[in-house]
Amino acid sequence: MKKGFSAPAPGEGLEIIRQDDAFVAVNKPAGLLVHRSPLDPREERFALQMARNILGRRVYPVHRLDRATSGVLLFALSPGWARQLAAAFAERRVEKGYLAVVRGFTAEEGVIDHPLADLPDRYPCLPRDDGERDAVTAYRRLATAELPVAVGRYPTSRYSLVAAFPRTGRRHQLRRHFKHLFHPIIGDTNYGEGRHNRFFREELGCSRLLLHAAGLTFPHPSTGGMVTLTAPPGGDFASLLGRLGWREAVPPQWSR
């Protein structure tokens, strides 16, 4: 298992959030790949296959969440619905909302407009365009905490709970954008800061990436009406929110 990474327990399943004739939405736990990937060829558990097993039918991915990220994950129930839903994502007709814990006190709100270069995807051997593409994230600070612990060079350590709304869909966008602001997401072993990740792991009992896809709004592929799905954070993330006194700071629509 990779350093700083926590897979779901063997008995942990997928929670079905909503299902109809066109799609099924699940609450993916942190540590679970969406589908088979060369990033970990030995892994045998995937959200895609688990959803198929639960429903007894094929499902089709229309977007992705990083392995370390938990939250709302959408599958289509036919190739046609998958094409329509994927088009909605590509055309930016989908609204996504995330909860994240970051180092430091962020501004009360802001927009990160910072282009990002493409990253290698499922097949690292294929060529890619190294040019930067537009990437925009809006965010709002929900709560702060200052702990009397010197993790770095200061006598106390500061953290923020933020709601983040990516307006584009670049790979690792939120993780890279908050690093750009010098407010890296806690638990991020690629873009974060090891001292703070270690403090959360060893002192606060939380070793996961503190990024959760809490809300997703998209046009229904059949009716065109807007569908809103939510998934409250659970497990280590929920426990940490309670420990830092942040439970009431989570927007009500994301805490149900």
Side-chain angles (χ1 to χ4, degrees), residues 204-255:
L204 299 180
C206 188
S207 60
R208 59 159 292 178
L209 173 72
L210 289 172
L211 180 63
H212 176 77
L216 185 70
T217 298
F218 60 94
H220 194 283
S222 176
T223 67
M226 299 306 290
V227 177
T228 296
L229 305 172
T230 60
D236 290 351
F237 204 140
S239 297
L240 181 74
L241 293 176
R243 187 164 185 175
L244 295 180
W246 285 349
R247 288 190 188 276
E248 298 304 316
V250 176
Q253 67 271 23
W254 292 352
S255 60

Side-chain angles (χ1 to χ4, degrees), residues 7 49 53 77 89 101 106 140 145 156 166 168 174 182 211 213 230 234 240 248:
Q49 188 60 53
N53 293 343
L77 296 182
F89 278 87
V101 177
T106 69
R140 182 174 72 252
T156 62
T168 51
L174 295 180
F182 301 101
L211 180 63
T230 60
L240 181 74
E248 298 304 316

Side-chain angles (χ1 to χ4, degrees), residues 52 62 73 78 84 88 101 104 126 129 178 182 228 237 246:
R52 288 176 176 175
V62 296
L73 179 64
S78 77
Q84 290 194 43
V101 177
L126 296 181
D129 180 1
F178 280 103
F182 301 101
T228 296
F237 204 140
W246 285 349

Side-chain angles (χ1 to χ4, degrees), residues 95-133:
E95 297 178 3
K96 296 171 281 187
Y98 289 76
L99 287 171
V101 177
V102 304
R103 188 196 69 192
F105 287 178
T106 69
E108 289 189 6
E109 59 183 19
V111 175
I112 311 167
D113 188 347
H114 177 67
L116 297 171
D118 284 338
L119 294 175
D121 209 332
R122 289 181 61 192
Y123 305 100
C125 59
L126 296 181
R128 64 186 175 94
D129 180 1
D130 287 322
E132 293 185 335
R133 296 197 291 167

